[in-house]
Structures are given as C-alpha cells and as structure tokens.
Amino acid sequence: MSSSTGTGSAAVGTDPAAPRRSPVREFTFRAVLLGGIITLVFTAANVYLGLRVGLTFATSIPAAVISMAILRNFQDHTIQENNIVQTIASAAGTLSAIIFVLPGLIMVGWWQGFPYWTTASVVAIGGILGVTFSIPLRRALVTGSDLPFPEGVAAAEVLKVGDTQNQDSAEENKTGLRLIILGSIASAVMSIITAMKLAASSVSSYFRLGPGATMMGGSLSLALIGVGHLVGMSVGAAMIVGLIISYGVLMPLRTSGLIPAEGDISEIVTATFSSEVRFIGAGTMAIAAVWTLLKIIGPIIRGIKEALASSRARHDGQAVDLTERDIPFPIVAGVTLASMLPVGLLLWLFVKDTTITHHMTGLIALSIIYTLLVGLIVASICGYMAGLIGSSNSPISGVGIIVVLSAALLIKVVVGGEADSTALVAYTLFTASVVFGIATISNDNLQDLKTGQLVDATPWKQQVALIFGVIFGSAIIPPIMELMRKGFGFAGAPGAGPDALAAPQAALLSSVAEGIFGDSLDWGLIGLGAAIGVVVIIINEVLSKSSRYSLPPLAVGMGMYLPASLTLIIPIGAALGYVYNKWADKQANPQRSKRMGVLMATGLIVGESLFGVINAGIIAATANGDALAVVGESFAGPAQWIGIIAFVGLTALVYSRLKKVDQPQA
C-alpha cells in the first residue's frame, strides 16, 4: 500500500478561481437507458451461468464496448457518458453473485420459491449499502493507493482508445485499438474452440506425492494472462506461494493414507481440496483480511475526513475539482443508517411465525449491528481484493464463507443451543445475503471508480449510476432465479431432479452454516489457515522493511483458496508482463511501449468477456451447457493437446505481434 493520502485534500481550495475541469456531458437519460437495457441481458445471463457452473463473467468491458458502438453515432457523446453506461451495467452484472447465497434457502428447505419483493429488496438494500460503504473507500483505495486495479485500468483503456472526440492522441489510439483487437481475437478464438470442445478449457494432472497425492493444472484462459500482465509480479509471486502451500504441502499431507495403491485418485484429491484445503485457505484469507483492514484503516479515516472537507468546501462556495466530488458524506451516512429500517422490517417478516420468534428482538438487533459493522469491513476487504487481482477473479465465495461463519457464530451465541437448527441456518443465510450484496457491489464499485478516475469522470455522478445499476439488477434477478428453480431445481434441495443446477457456492455456504449449528465444522482447519496467515504477515513485514520486495498476505490467501486452474495462470501472465516491461525499458519510448502492453492485455480480457456474453445467451436459449460442442467426450484426449498448443501459440503470437507493432516507434 502506498502511504499517499490521495489527491482529495489538495483539490479543495480557498480560491474560487482555482482551475477545475469544466462540466461535460456525462450522466444522461440515454446513458441510463442504455445501461439498463444492457443490464437486463447481462444480469440474466450471469444468473443462469452462475447457477449452472458456478462462474460469472465480468460485464464492465463488454458494456463499454457496446456503449461505444452505439453512442459513437451521436455527435455529442463523451468518454464520460460511455463510462456511466459501463458503470450501470457492471454494477448490476456483479450483483448477480447474490446467487451464491440465496439458493441456499431453497436447498435447506426453508423457502419453496423466491418471493419477488423479498428477494428484490434484499438484493437492492445490500447493493445500495455496497455503494454507500464504498464511497469513503474511494479516496483510500483508488486515489490514495498504488493498487493495480487491473480490470478498472483495462476498462479505462478501452474507453480511451474508443474516444472519437479526443484527437490529441489519435495515431496512438489507432495503434492501441489494433492491439486491443489483436488480443480480443486471440482470446475469443481460444474461447470458441473451447466451447466447441475442440480444445480443452483447462489441463490438470493428478499424481502421488509421498504418502499422499496432489494435482497441478491451469485454465487455458488468455484473459487470465491479461489479468496477470496487469497486476504485476508482486501479486503473481504471492499467489504462487499460496499455490505451493496448498498443493505442494497441505494436499499431500491431508490425503496421506487415503490414496489407494491402484486406481483413480482424482476424486480423493478434489474432495480433499473442497472439504479441507479450501477451508484452510479461507482461514488464511480471514486473518490476512483483518490485517489488511488494520493497514488501510488510516487511509480510510483520512478519506472520510477529506470527503467531509470537500463537502464543506462545496457548501461554502469554494472551488472543488469535478473529479473530487463524491456524494456528500452526510447523505451517504444518512442513506446507510436509513437502510437499517427496511433491513429490520425484512428480518422481522422473515422471523415472525417461525420456531425462533421468541428470539426476534435479539436476532434483529444483532443482524442490524452486524450489517453496519461487518458490512464496512467486508467492503474494505473486497475493494482491496479487487484492487489486487480484479473483481472477476476475486474469491468472493471465500468472503462469503467468512461472513457466514461469523454471522452463524454470533447468532448461536444469542439464541443458545435449544433453537431449531434449520431455522437458524436459514436466518443466517438471509442475514448473510444482505452483507454478501455489500461484498459483491464494493468488489465491483471500486473497480468502476478507478475507471472513472482514469477518464476524468465525476465521482458523485458515477456513484448515482451505481445505485441505478443496483436497482436495475435487483428488479431482474428474482424472476430469473425463480425461472431457474422451476425449470431445473437445485441439487440437494427437496425434490431436486437429475438435471438440477449445482449452484456450488450456495451449497458450500449452506453446508458451512449447517456445520456450525450442527457442531460438525472442523475448526482446526480454519485455525491452521489463520496460523499460516500470521507467518505470511510476519514475512511480508520483514521483506517490506528490509527490501523492495513484498508478499501481500491476502494474495497468498487467495492463492491457497482459489482452484489451481486460476492460481497458476495469473502468475504466468504476471511473469510475461514482467519480461515484456523489461524489454520496453530498453526502447526509445518506454512508457509508450508499456502502454501498448497494457492495451494488448486489455484485449485478452475483452475478447473472452464478449464471447462469454454470447455463449451465456446461447446456453440460456438452448438450456444446454454444451450447445456449441461439435465433438463428444471421446475427443477429450486430443482436445487436451490442441488446447495446450493453441494456448501457448496464441500467447506467443500476441506478444510477438505486440513487439512488432511497437517497434517502429522505438
């Protein structure tokens, strides 16, 4: 973390004639309308994809591309107006991650369906709180830190190269656009042949190691190469350390004595990771998150003070640059506190006429205090994670585990041991869903605010746009989830059929809550992870003070928690970016060369994201997860080799072309 306090206080001047950016066309009706339309499509696709395979796609960059394609036909469009469109669409698309919690109420048999107004209200309130909690974090994590925010930077670069109003750097923008297109085509081609099953989407190998076993593998995703290029070596190296801890040390130890002399070992390794190693990683993430919060609490407090100073200066008629104008802090605080009234009402409606009604007062009071305090903590942690590796790759389900764990423990203390455990599990998930909405939105919002900072957007207008995105998303998410429930059902729920949707994150979080109230959760795993986290924190502090290197503890925890397929490829991308930047340092214009590398990496993310939107639509329309497949399972062997060759070849192609495109300017 940089110790800088940001530019907020400097922007508040005493001279009314102080220089400031003139207002530009930004928050317009057509931007809201276009953002809302994109939201409906992207959110519906994300809900379906997340329930079926446990994955969602980033909507920010595809929304920016679509927005530019449409608004460029209007003579008075601006880059800031395009930014509003992508802000609305990305907020709603990210909010669809609420599917990682709410289906759990169906799985435990508490709900028989998704009541529209209850579900929409939970999603909307959690999302709006995510916006209000992230506003004071903007100055601490965006303007006052050196976090890379890879997807925020990528979205800004897409907007810049598509800005037809800026003629100052037209030639460089043309070159940059070609590189974005190059990266996009490469990653889209990889995604297409993967969807057709001609190439594997990932490769993995399970093998014995000592008395146990482990595995290694990677997702053949060029978008992850792009993310790695953008986040840099510090985060990449930390994730590799986490990978080694989980798969090189913990996995062989936890599987020791379980591996048969002959036969398939993949199921044992996979089950051990899901039920044991991942919880150790969650423990490391938890302690690292607490430490991270302690490290950034100072900048957060300074950010709040600067926001108050900016509000007072504007009220007194002093000049404040447009790019430093947040929604006034008194309004933010008022909306946050006022939101507790509908939260309390929803909780009362949830509890009344149940077996835990006699604990109503204590439970509701606890949940409101929990939402206020833990919500701010979770918003800070998720914003920091998004700054490290991007919102798409943040282990949001890991945060969900921490939220459900802490909420369930507190609820158990309040009610004692005599209450109905199923009712307590359901109440825990319902409370956690509000806080999880805060987590998902803050995970995305700070990424969007970073984009806004880079394109000179007005923060308060973007923050209002985020609220519009939340409202749009909360309107469409409940009927889509209900449609999925009626059409497929959820695995593990009463009456679920063979084609039921897995909803893996919801199943995981439900099992965590059931484990706490049923006293079956292995706390030793969480404790071991916390102990590892303490060691990593100490190492990072020593490294940071004695050298120019660091080992971000939260990145190590993410490397332990995330599947190897994600953990391995991001560091590879970071290494490629490092090598490229070393080459760029030797060129005549190093900064330009590095910018071109950023644009190419951005293209890798864009192409896969856009195809993800198209593929999700095809899957939803056909109700077939393999709708584009042209070969069967018998082709899996050749597909592995084709995937590896295509992945390596396309990666080599884009980097070699990047150097050739940039060479004439060297």
Side-chain angles (χ1 to χ4, degrees):
M1 278 291 301
S2 168
S3 59
S4 168
T5 59
T7 59
S9 56
V12 180
T14 56
D15 179 9
R20 51 181 175 172
R21 180 173 64 82
S22 300
V24 297
R25 191 176 187 86
E26 189 168 359
F27 193 85
T28 63
F29 174 77
R30 69 189 182 197
V32 174
L33 179 63
L34 181 56
I37 293 172
I38 296 174
T39 285
L40 297 178
V41 177
F42 283 11
T43 304
N46 250 342
V47 168
Y48 179 85
L49 208 59
L51 289 173
R52 177 167 285 278
V53 300
L55 297 173
T56 57
F57 57 86
T59 57
S60 179
I61 291 174
V65 173
I66 293 172
S67 173
M68 289 187 299
I70 295 174
L71 292 184
R72 70 186 304 161
N73 296 307
F74 297 88
Q75 188 173 5
D76 57 349
H77 75 277
T78 66
I79 189 173
Q80 290 81 15
E81 188 179 21
N82 279 314
N83 180 56
I84 290 294
V85 176
Q86 72 85 16
T87 295
I88 292 172
S90 68
T94 300
L95 195 58
S96 61
I98 197 70
I99 60 174
F100 294 171
V101 181
L102 282 180
L105 291 169
I106 305 289
M107 293 176 167
V108 300
W110 192 258
W111 275 1
Q112 280 69 53
F114 295 101
Y116 181 83
W117 289 111
T118 300
T119 306
S121 298
V122 168
V123 175
I125 293 169
I128 290 171
L129 285 172
V131 175
T132 61
F133 280 141
S134 62
I135 288 172
L137 296 174
R138 182 184 73 86
R139 296 169 186 266
L141 297 180
V142 177
T143 63
S145 83
D146 54 4
L147 290 169
F149 283 101
E151 291 175 7
V153 171
E157 294 297 338
V158 169
L159 290 170
K160 286 177 183 178
V161 299
D163 182 17
T164 58
Q165 301 296 317
N166 183 8
Q167 300 300 322
D168 294 339
S169 56
E171 194 57 43
E172 183 172 325
N173 280 1
K174 288 181 180 178
T175 302
L177 183 59
R178 288 199 299 270
L179 287 171
I180 287 181
I181 292 173
L182 169 67
S184 298
I185 292 174
S187 61
V189 166
M190 190 70 213
S191 298
I192 290 169
I193 62 175
T194 294
M196 296 172 70
K197 300 296 183 183
L198 293 173
S201 59
S202 63
V203 292
S204 59
S205 175
Y206 297 82
F207 51 90
R208 302 171 192 274
L209 187 61
T214 188
M215 63 84 64
M216 191 52 61
S219 171
L220 302 179
S221 165
L222 291 178
L224 293 179
I225 294 290
V227 169
H229 184 118
L230 294 174
V231 301
M233 276 301 295
S234 178
V235 173
M239 294 186 74
I240 282 291
V241 170
L243 178 73
I244 293 171
I245 292 173
S246 278
Y247 288 90
V249 179
L250 294 175
M251 189 73 79
L253 290 175
R254 305 303 298 188
T255 56
S256 178
L258 302 177
I259 305 302
E262 297 181 2
D264 185 19
I265 63 174
S266 62
E267 288 188 9
I268 295 174
V269 171
T270 302
T272 301
F273 177 77
S274 300
S275 62
E276 298 185 32
V277 175
R278 202 165 201 184
F279 281 92
I280 298 173
T284 302
M285 282 181 56
I287 200 70
V290 171
W291 179 252
T292 298
L293 181 66
L294 293 175
K295 297 278 283 187
I296 66 176
I297 195 69
I300 290 172
I301 293 172
R302 286 195 296 270
I304 293 173
K305 289 180 178 178
E306 290 170 6
L308 288 169
S310 178
S311 296
R312 287 193 296 268
R314 290 167 62 186
H315 183 268
D316 295 340
Q318 297 178 23
V320 179
D321 192 89
L322 290 179
T323 57
E324 287 301 321
R325 297 182 183 180
D326 293 292
I327 295 176
F329 189 76
I331 294 177
V332 172
V335 170
T336 301
L337 294 175
S339 297
M340 294 304 103
L341 293 174
V343 168
L345 177 61
L346 285 169
L347 292 169
W348 177 78
L349 292 171
F350 191 86
V351 171
K352 77 181 187 72
D353 301 326
T354 69
T355 56
I356 55 174
T357 302
H358 54 294
H359 294 292
M360 180 184 295
T361 303
L363 285 173
I364 293 176
L366 171 65
S367 294
I368 289 176
I369 296 171
Y370 181 85
T371 300
L372 282 172
L373 297 181
V374 177
L376 179 59
I377 294 171
V378 164
S380 303
I381 294 167
C382 288
Y384 193 88
M385 289 195 307
L388 276 178
I389 64 170
S391 55
S392 296
N393 302 300
S394 293
I396 201 71
S397 59
V399 174
I401 290 176
I402 296 170
V403 169
V404 170
L405 274 172
S406 56
L409 288 172
L410 291 172
I411 289 169
K412 192 172 184 179
V413 169
V414 168
V415 302
E418 80 282 0
D420 177 9
S421 63
T422 302
L424 292 177
V425 168
Y427 185 82
T428 298
L429 293 175
F430 194 73
T431 299
S433 65
V434 178
V435 180
F436 198 76
I438 296 172
T440 59
I441 284 297
S442 56
N443 189 49
D444 172 77
N445 282 6
L446 290 164
Q447 201 81 256
D448 287 330
L449 292 172
K450 180 65 177 182
T451 300
Q453 179 202 24
L454 296 174
V455 299
D456 293 328
T458 308
W460 77 262
K461 293 181 180 179
Q462 197 171 6
Q463 289 152 7
V464 172
L466 289 165
I467 293 175
F468 270 92
V470 167
I471 293 171
F472 287 139
S474 61
I476 190 64
I477 287 173
I480 298 297
M481 287 202 299
E482 180 64 7
L483 182 65
M484 295 297 101
R485 184 194 68 81
K486 289 181 177 178
F488 302 98
F490 300 114
D499 296 325
L501 298 171
Q505 286 87 351
L508 173 64
L509 297 183
S510 300
S511 66
V512 169
E514 290 172 329
I516 291 175
F517 291 110
D519 296 320
S520 60
L521 190 67
D522 188 347
W523 287 101
L525 300 176
I526 307 293
L528 175 58
I532 293 172
V534 170
V535 174
V536 174
I537 288 169
I538 294 172
I539 293 173
N540 179 58
E541 290 301 301
V542 172
L543 279 175
S544 300
K545 292 177 180 178
S546 61
S547 69
R548 60 188 178 89
Y549 300 105
S550 64
L551 189 69
L554 198 52
V556 174
M558 288 188 284
M560 292 173 62
Y561 177 85
L562 290 170
S565 58
L566 290 177
T567 308
L568 181 62
I569 302 303
I570 292 176
I572 290 176
L576 290 172
Y578 176 81
V579 171
Y580 173 78
N581 287 335
K582 285 295 185 182
W583 173 87
D585 285 334
K586 301 175 183 178
Q587 306 310 302
N589 189 343
Q591 292 307 312
R592 179 190 183 279
S593 297
K594 290 179 181 179
R595 283 197 301 274
M596 294 300 106
V598 167
L599 290 170
M600 185 279 298
T602 298
L604 295 178
I605 300 172
V606 170
E608 189 166 311
S609 298
L610 286 175
F611 178 75
V613 176
I614 296 170
N615 193 36
I618 294 172
I619 291 172
T622 61
N624 179 6
D626 296 327
L628 296 179
V630 296
V631 292
E633 293 297 324
S634 60
F635 197 71
Q640 293 268 338
W641 289 105
I642 294 173
I644 294 172
I645 294 170
F647 179 75
V648 173
L650 287 169
T651 301
L653 173 66
V654 293
Y655 273 99
S656 63
R657 289 295 301 165
L658 170 62
K659 288 185 176 182
K660 289 181 181 178
V661 167
D662 195 45
Q663 195 64 48
Q665 303 295 329

